[in-house]
Amino acid sequence: MAGSVHGGTENTMTTNALVQLTNVGRTYNNAAVAALDGVSLTVEHGEFTAIMGPSGSGKSTLLNVVAGLDRPSSGRVVVDGIELTGASETALARYRRTRIGFVFQFFNLLSNLTVIENVMVPAQLAGTRPAAARTQARQLLHDLDIASVERSYPQNLSGGERQRVAIARALINKPALVLADEPTGALDSRTGTQVMELLDALNQRGQTILLVTHDVNLATGHGRRVVSLRDGAIVDDARIQPRRKAEPAELVRLGAGEL
Amino acid sequence: MGAILTQVRAALLRRRAQWTIVASTTLLAAAVATLSLTLVVRDNQPWDDAFASANGPHLVFHLDASRVTADQLAATTSLPGVTAAGPVRPAATVTFQKGKANGPIQVIERGNPGGNVDRLALLAGRWPQGDDEMAVAKGDPGLSTLVPQLGDSIQAVTSSHTTTLKVVGVVSDLAAFNNQGATMRAWVRDGELAKILGGSDIRLGYEMPYRFQHAATDAELAADRRVVENALPSGAEVQAPTSWLEMRAGFNWLVTAVGGIIFAFSAFALIAVVLVVASVVAGMVIAGYREFGIAKALGFTPAEVVAIVTGQMAVPAIAGSVVGVPLGALASTYFLGATSADLKLPVPSPVDPLIDVGVLIGVIVLVALAALVPALQAARADAIRAITLGSSPRASRRSWLGSFLLRLGAAPAVGLGAGDAFARPIRASLTVVALGIGIATLTFAFTFGPSLQRVIDDPASYGAAQDANVVRYGNLSDTEATSLITADSGTKAVIATRQLPASVTGKANAEPLTAMRGDTAAFGYRPASGRWFSAPGETVAGLLTAREAHLRLGDSVAVNVGGHELRLRVVGLMNDQPNAGRGFRVDWQTLMGILPTETPDVYLVQLRAGTDVAAYTARLAAKSSQLGVQEDINKTYAQPFVAFINVIIGGLTLVLALIAAAGVFNATLLATRERVHDIATLKSLGMTPAQIAAMAAASSCVVAVVAAMVGIPIGVWLLGVITATMGDLYGFMFDISGSLNPITILLVIAGAFAVALAGAAMPARWAAATPVAQVLRSE
């Protein structure tokens, strides 16, 4: 069993679990608005899980709770053995820098840093020496076939290149979990597909990925498991066969020029 | 108009931080500007009021009664140009004792405090009417060791007898601090002086006050003086006449000195405020780019957009100035009130409509001008771009410094923060200059005090190496006086002096020529530049005299002393504090060459280590009634003034530091708001709140370092200007060469960091608390 979801009523602990949400609720405006309502979810190592739902369903809130960017109003969140509920801001920051990589819809690259410097930031935050961080970043840029733009600034890159840089940045600390929040939302469809194939390829190499999207085709086309949210609650959880598998070789085959 | 006001009001309600910055900085600048202008314009007012009320004398002549008669003097009242004079008043300098303390007092016969010229104001008690009564000038304990109080009984000691006089009145004396040495003055009724002097051989003199038709300047006073001197027998004057300008300068020197410093600081404060406001408005225009675009799309003209922007600044500027101007005026009463109290005048009203309204309008206009350039930028906002993009073009400059630091292995927070420091170069430059001004004043504060203290701590460098002064009176000979002094076990060394007026070609007033007998160099005297005299014909000149007579080291100068020409070669220049920066100091043999019968009358004594000065002066005074002995006060009298000036400078520096901190606060606030997405991204990547705060702080520290590079040289320049100005005023030469030592630089840089971090602290905390999910969601 790759993962268990029981509609927020039951939580099955497994030894291979990477993410465990137990009866998680998140309310705003003095509980007037419930973004998450008793969500229980377990994601195991190596899964590619897509969280899907319409706007306002709570999918981004769920992602933020897993990322330690938002705190649940109730329930318990454990990721990679780390209890996030009640953790200090500093502890959450350390958790983010070592255990997760974040890929955003709008890339969120630092405009005053070069590509390689952007990729190096999380490594340096984690205490990696500059030379070692540079070597790792360079390797990732090479693997993602954007080595040629390492000295460029984000604003001089195409959307696809920017998202590759963001992916490289997310991977540099070898995170246990990559969180991708609408990673294709700011890209044209062709480039978006290529980015998703890249995520597929990463997953093929064992990287656990939690993807948030409102796009059904994207969720079903790439996720091995699709969790549907509505009004803050899980309404469906299905494991599916992907329509297409990216070979590891595609990591380098998807050149920057194609994006 | 209504629409503009609505926009202004809405913006003010929304941008409270900027509102506070502009209001608080304009408050501080308006207060300092009002204070400085009030002091500059009105520092002489209390004294001038008292002078007018007293119909004060433009010149007071000091004459030898053995060389000029009262009738001859009375005849001078009708000289051309003399508008009022006299009456002739007998006067003599007598040694008084009060307990252990003793010292010379100039006693003047005067029937009443009124009269046509030089009316005196009684501060306490009454005018002496009976035998053995006297009124004394209100003394300054800092300027004399003998300060009689109302009700005291003190002894006038002469060679023939001792007279006990009771102090029945205290008088405000316009000449109490004149540049002629400020011997304390006292008044007795007519006929009393003869009784005090009795059969002693104390030289009787006359004091004669004059008012002239034209006496506004030194040149006019010199011409007036010549008119009177030409009507007097040769050698009738015992010393140069006291001019009203000297009296006034002596009374107000501290306020004048402090006023100059405050004026310089207020100019700096205004510049800093202009820079801070410009930075605030520039930031506001960037943040409100979309709003300005929408406003233009809705039909606001560019001029109306400018009005909206400047209006937003004018309101807090008016609020700050309305509070600041009265505060500054109120502060000025502290300075003006001190002078008024000495002159028994009511404290002048702190309100000067011209100054207050002028500062109010001036500050508001400055703020409006500072807002104008960025306001014009807002007026040029591209409506389409503003609406579609929602923000102004973002700064995305390469951060060479950040990259360099990160490459070196600096903590990411430090590297990224430092790299952000100049992301907005214009704003950063404005902040650098505003902070630089704060650092300049900090540099000045750290260097001026020690420079002044160095002069004070080394009395020999300003002509006061002695511990005690002894004045010889009556028929006690020089030989006898010297024997009495040297016989005391406490005496280590003695320098005997005689001071005579010396006329210098081209100078209106005579300069004091001090002939010194003894080993002056061994005594400890040192010039500020050049060397001490070592041969007849050589002189060490006072800095003011040298400056006014255009004398430099190596120059020769001809002076006329007692009708004899004396040619002197300037070998040294000194801060001659006892002579107010004036005159010539020469070897005894130099004087003997032209006036061989002169003898010393003042003895400067250096005491052996461990000798109690008070006990020494009492012991020596007891040996002869014809010796006036007092502890030298040159070493101590300046300390309260130095402390006062240091407090003033400290206060002003704090004001400038606050303005600078407000500038940094604004810059950091704008930077963190503009970079809120980057900050949220960094937090999402694992940067802790402490690291985010450190990043903002690092940015302000880079600004502080650059500001220190700008501010320290400006501070040193300011030190040079102010010390030179004070030198011109008071004849001091400040040695500022060692002021900026490594420790001072470190202190200033530490201060710069403190100001920058204080300014950045709050925005840094706000940045650290950035709600990541919210910010990234609103992208």
Side-chain angles (χ1 to χ4, degrees):
Chain A
M1 181 175 176
S4 299
V5 176
H6 302 274
T9 55
E10 190 182 331
N11 180 28
T12 303
M13 306 290 282
T14 63
T15 51
N16 199 30
L18 177 63
V19 179
Q20 289 180 300
L21 276 71
T22 309
N23 209 19
V24 170
R26 179 68 175 102
T27 56
Y28 297 102
N29 299 336
N30 292 326
V33 179
L36 291 178
D37 185 9
V39 171
S40 292
L41 172 69
T42 299
V43 176
E44 294 194 349
H45 284 283
E47 276 193 355
F48 191 141
T49 304
I51 310 288
M52 209 187 71
S55 180
S57 60
K59 55 188 186 302
S60 288
T61 304
L62 178 66
L63 201 70
N64 289 335
V65 165
V66 173
L69 295 173
D70 203 353
R71 290 174 184 276
S73 307
S74 59
R76 187 165 174 243
V77 181
V78 179
V79 180
D80 203 15
I82 297 171
E83 170 78 57
L84 303 188
T85 326
S88 69
E89 278 295 316
T90 303
L92 289 174
R94 292 203 176 106
Y95 153 74
R96 285 195 291 272
R97 79 170 65 145
T98 54
R99 307 301 171 104
I100 64 167
F102 220 126
V103 179
F104 301 95
Q105 178 179 357
F106 293 104
F107 329 122
N108 289 335
L109 298 173
L110 301 175
S111 57
N112 57 341
L113 297 184
T114 61
V115 161
I116 194 162
E117 286 166 347
N118 264 284
V119 177
M120 286 168 66
V121 167
Q124 290 191 272
L125 280 174
T128 309
R129 291 184 178 282
R134 188 170 290 274
T135 304
Q136 289 172 24
R138 202 161 269 153
Q139 183 61 50
L140 275 167
L141 292 175
H142 179 263
D143 289 349
L144 294 167
D145 205 19
I146 46 173
S148 60
V149 298
E150 74 164 60
R151 288 171 188 273
S152 302
Y153 284 87
Q155 55 271 31
N156 299 327
L157 305 182
S158 69
E161 285 171 329
R162 288 185 206 187
Q163 199 59 297
R164 280 178 173 243
V165 175
I167 291 169
R169 184 177 67 181
L171 295 176
I172 192 161
N173 283 338
K174 298 182 175 61
L177 175 66
V178 167
L179 301 171
D181 187 3
E182 305 276 13
T184 61
L187 303 174
D188 62 63
S189 59
R190 180 168 168 268
T191 311
T193 302
Q194 289 171 340
V195 165
M196 287 310 299
E197 285 172 349
L198 190 54
L199 293 177
D200 280 339
L202 287 170
N203 179 245
Q204 288 291 308
R205 297 206 303 189
Q207 178 68 58
T208 310
I209 294 173
L210 194 58
L211 166 77
V212 160
T213 180
H214 66 279
D215 186 333
V216 178
N217 290 329
L218 211 62
T220 55
H222 300 275
R224 315 288 187 275
R225 177 184 175 195
V226 177
V227 176
S228 298
L229 283 177
R230 180 169 294 163
D231 297 332
I234 294 175
V235 293
D236 189 28
D237 184 357
R239 286 192 290 121
I240 57 173
Q241 283 297 315
R243 282 178 294 195
R244 180 180 184 279
K245 277 187 182 175
E247 296 301 323
E250 283 190 77
L251 277 173
V252 291
R253 195 153 50 76
L254 291 166
E258 296 177 53
L259 297 178
Chain B
M1 186 55 119
I4 293 173
L5 290 177
T6 304
Q7 289 281 329
V8 170
R9 190 173 62 84
L12 287 172
L13 288 172
R14 202 169 62 249
R15 299 201 172 97
R16 290 193 197 89
Q18 282 89 343
W19 201 102
T20 310
I21 292 167
V22 175
S24 56
T25 52
T26 50
L27 185 155
L28 292 169
V32 179
T34 307
L35 171 64
S36 71
L37 280 176
T38 305
L39 290 185
V40 167
V41 173
R42 300 175 70 189
D43 66 337
N44 287 325
Q45 193 193 340
W47 193 92
D48 287 349
D49 290 348
F51 188 73
S53 165
N55 206 30
H58 292 132
L59 284 176
V60 177
F61 276 73
H62 310 282
L63 303 137
D64 186 342
S66 67
R67 299 195 180 184
V68 64
T69 66
D71 289 342
Q72 283 175 309
L73 282 173
T76 60
T77 57
S78 57
L79 287 170
V82 176
T83 56
V88 180
R89 297 192 177 105
T93 300
V94 181
T95 299
F96 278 80
Q97 283 189 324
K98 176 188 167 188
K100 279 187 174 180
N102 66 359
I105 295 179
Q106 189 190 17
V107 183
I108 303 151
E109 277 189 2
R110 185 162 179 166
N112 60 68
N116 191 24
V117 182
D118 197 14
R119 292 185 285 270
L120 297 174
L122 265 169
L123 295 172
R126 60 175 175 77
W127 194 252
Q129 290 155 353
D131 290 347
D132 304 330
E133 288 183 348
M134 69 190 300
V136 297
K138 185 187 176 192
D140 185 336
L143 290 175
S144 174
T145 53
L146 177 67
V147 183
Q149 306 293 325
L150 187 66
D152 282 353
S153 287
I154 60 173
Q155 285 80 44
V157 182
T158 69
S159 56
S160 58
H161 65 288
T162 299
T163 309
T164 301
L165 291 117
K166 184 169 185 184
V167 178
V168 297
V170 177
V171 172
S172 100
D173 185 5
L174 290 170
F177 307 102
N178 74 69
N179 286 349
Q180 294 291 335
T183 301
M184 173 167 278
R185 301 207 298 173
W187 293 265
V188 294
R189 66 173 190 157
D190 289 334
E192 188 74 9
L193 194 53
K195 190 179 141 195
I196 294 170
L197 299 180
S200 78
D201 59 353
I202 292 178
R203 194 185 298 174
L204 184 68
Y206 291 125
E207 187 187 88
M208 182 73 171
Y210 291 89
R211 283 184 67 84
F212 299 93
Q213 198 169 2
H214 303 290
T217 63
D218 278 328
E220 288 179 346
L221 285 165
D224 296 334
R225 179 184 168 185
R226 280 194 294 276
V227 169
V228 177
E229 282 178 339
N230 290 338
L232 296 175
S234 174
E237 288 178 84
V238 292
Q239 67 179 74
T242 309
S243 84
W244 75 283
L245 291 177
E246 288 168 344
M247 295 181 215
R248 185 170 77 169
F251 226 106
N252 292 335
W253 75 270
L254 187 58
V255 176
T256 307
V258 171
I261 293 170
I262 296 175
F263 189 73
F265 273 59
S266 72
F268 272 21
L270 287 171
I271 294 170
V273 166
V274 166
L275 297 170
V276 170
V277 170
S279 175
V280 167
V281 180
M284 201 176 76
V285 168
I286 290 167
Y289 196 75
R290 179 181 164 83
E291 293 163 34
F292 296 124
I294 292 171
K296 286 183 75 177
L298 291 175
F300 281 90
T301 66
E304 285 168 333
V305 172
V306 170
I308 292 169
V309 176
T310 50
Q312 288 175 45
M313 291 300 103
V315 172
I318 291 169
S321 303
V322 162
V323 179
V325 167
L327 280 179
L330 210 60
S332 71
T333 57
Y334 173 74
F335 299 95
L336 300 177
T339 313
S340 302
D342 285 340
L343 297 168
K344 205 191 178 185
L345 288 169
V347 176
S349 163
V351 180
D352 186 320
L354 201 63
I355 292 172
D356 298 347
V357 174
V359 170
L360 190 72
I361 294 173
V363 169
I364 293 165
V365 167
L366 273 179
V367 167
L369 286 176
L372 195 60
V373 175
L376 289 171
Q377 191 190 344
R380 284 198 302 269
D382 181 342
I384 297 169
R385 181 191 173 90
I387 293 166
T388 51
L389 291 185
S391 65
S392 68
R394 291 174 70 171
S396 54
R397 288 171 182 273
R398 170 151 178 74
S399 167
W400 293 101
L401 179 63
S403 300
F404 177 69
L405 289 174
L406 287 171
R407 195 181 283 264
L408 281 184
V414 173
L416 292 171
D420 279 350
F422 283 84
R424 294 269 185 197
I426 293 174
R427 180 194 302 153
S429 303
L430 292 172
T431 310
V432 160
V433 180
L435 183 57
I437 287 172
I439 292 168
T441 58
L442 205 61
T443 308
F444 177 78
F446 277 128
T447 52
F448 180 76
S451 299
L452 193 57
Q453 196 62 51
R454 260 201 304 281
V455 174
I456 303 300
D457 286 345
D458 189 7
S461 70
Y462 64 88
Q466 66 274 14
D467 300 307
N469 301 315
V470 182
V471 183
R472 177 173 64 85
Y473 297 118
N475 57 4
L476 191 73
S477 72
D478 168 46
T479 311
E480 289 167 328
T482 305
S483 298
L484 286 171
I485 296 167
T486 52
D488 193 289
S489 59
T491 303
K492 180 184 171 192
V494 185
I495 299 292
T497 70
R498 176 87 171 107
Q499 195 170 85
L500 296 164
S503 302
V504 185
T505 308
K507 277 191 61 40
N509 294 313
E511 301 290 323
L513 179 129
T514 309
M516 307 179 83
R517 188 184 69 194
D519 191 353
T520 43
F523 199 78
Y525 282 113
R526 283 188 297 282
S529 64
R531 61 174 174 82
W532 198 252
F533 58 76
S534 59
E538 292 183 343
T539 186
V540 176
L543 280 161
L544 266 191
T545 299
R547 194 171 289 130
E548 288 173 7
H550 309 292
L551 294 174
R552 288 177 301 184
L553 290 177
D555 285 354
S556 280
V557 58
V559 300
N560 191 298
V561 184
H564 299 271
E565 184 173 303
L566 183 60
R567 186 156 285 278
L568 300 170
R569 194 164 71 83
V570 179
V571 296
L573 300 171
M574 73 181 294
N575 299 316
D576 202 338
Q577 191 272 333
N579 292 318
R582 298 192 167 280
F584 303 94
R585 292 193 179 236
V586 296
D587 181 70
W588 188 254
Q589 291 309 315
T590 305
L591 180 65
M592 290 296 96
I594 53 166
L595 296 169
T597 58
E598 286 289 344
T599 52
D601 58 357
V602 175
Y603 302 83
L604 311 175
V605 184
Q606 216 168 49
L607 301 180
R608 291 187 192 284
T611 304
D612 180 75
V613 186
Y616 177 87
T617 56
R619 195 164 64 227
L620 197 57
K623 286 181 183 171
S624 170
S625 61
Q626 294 174 70
L627 286 180
V629 190
Q630 66 178 12
E631 182 182 347
D632 188 85
I633 42 84
N634 286 306
K635 291 175 184 172
T636 54
Y637 95 101
Q639 287 299 353
F641 304 132
V642 173
F644 177 72
I645 288 175
N646 280 338
V647 167
I648 297 295
I649 291 172
L652 291 169
T653 303
L654 184 65
V655 168
L656 269 295
L658 285 172
I659 294 174
V664 176
F665 172 86
N666 172 63
T668 313
L669 182 67
L670 292 173
T672 51
R673 283 185 179 173
E674 284 170 16
R675 300 189 74 84
V676 67
H677 282 95
D678 285 351
I679 289 169
T681 301
L682 285 166
K683 282 187 83 173
S684 76
L685 295 177
M687 202 175 247
T688 64
Q691 285 174 315
I692 295 287
M695 186 172 71
S699 183
S700 66
C701 283
V702 170
V703 170
V705 169
V706 180
M709 290 162 69
V710 174
I712 290 174
I714 295 174
V716 172
W717 169 79
L718 183 67
L719 176 71
V721 169
I722 287 187
T723 52
T725 308
M726 287 184 78
D728 284 344
L729 277 172
Y730 310 114
F732 265 42
M733 183 185 277
F734 286 84
D735 177 14
I736 58 170
S737 54
S739 301
L740 200 65
N741 53 51
I743 292 173
T744 310
I745 293 173
L746 280 177
L747 280 172
V748 170
I749 290 174
F753 279 131
V755 171
L757 291 174
M762 214 179 284
R765 284 184 60 185
W766 293 336
T770 301
V772 182
Q774 239 173 296
V775 171
L776 295 182
R777 192 183 301 137
S778 66
E779 182 95 42

